[in-house]
Amino acid sequence: MPEPGGFIMAGLVRKSLNSPEETRPFEGGKGQLELVNLAAGAVGRATFQPGWRWSEHVKPIAKTDSCQAAHMGYFISGRMKVVMDDGEQMEFGPGDFSIIPPGHDAWIVGNEPCVVIDWQGFTEYAKR
């Protein structure tokens, strides 16, 4: 019987972001994305180094004017500023849950790496 959300549970599943199934580096050595794949889609852990900015370090890979991924994530460490194409903006930090619609730029605030777990937007993110 389908669970809430329409998923059919097949039993226990264990995957580790410490042993990712795929790793995607960002341009300029400014971090990377580590992925595990589940039936419902990829789950990723991104580490964004200080100085990372989507429009500089992922845009050359994505080839879009702004990030077109919809994100649903949890911030473990560091701080990130997100500015939507319409000008709305917000800063996220440790302990924050985020929903970020498509159409944004983002960058790291401060000198600490920003680590984010994302359940929605990383399937095609920074994919070459």
Side-chain angles (χ1 to χ4, degrees):
M1 171 160 222
E3 296 290 320
F7 303 115
I8 297 176
M9 300 303 292
L12 294 173
V13 174
R14 181 176 182 258
K15 304 228 177 183
S16 175
L17 289 166
N18 293 328
S19 301
E21 296 169 348
E22 185 179 356
T23 300
R24 298 178 191 160
F26 302 141
E27 294 285 317
K30 289 293 183 181
Q32 66 182 12
L33 171 61
E34 299 158 312
L35 293 165
V36 293
N37 296 301
L38 305 170
V43 174
R45 175 177 61 197
T47 302
F48 304 96
Q49 296 299 329
W52 176 90
R53 186 177 186 115
W54 184 91
S55 54
E56 295 175 24
H57 301 102
V58 181
K59 181 177 181 173
I61 300 166
K63 297 179 178 29
T64 56
D65 288 338
S66 60
C67 182
Q68 296 303 305
H71 302 285
M72 180 172 28
Y74 177 78
F75 284 74
I76 295 172
S77 64
R79 300 200 67 77
M80 180 182 286
K81 175 96 176 233
V82 177
V83 178
M84 300 301 298
D85 290 349
D86 67 5
E88 181 182 7
Q89 51 188 286
M90 191 169 288
E91 191 172 304
F92 298 93
D96 288 343
F97 175 81
S98 65
I99 295 177
I100 304 170
H104 57 271
D105 194 3
W107 55 89
I108 299 311
V109 175
N111 295 317
E112 182 183 352
C114 182
V115 178
V116 180
I117 305 294
D118 191 313
W119 287 267
Q120 182 176 357
F122 283 163
T123 299
E124 298 296 322
Y125 192 84
K127 190 172 189 175
R128 298 179 189 275

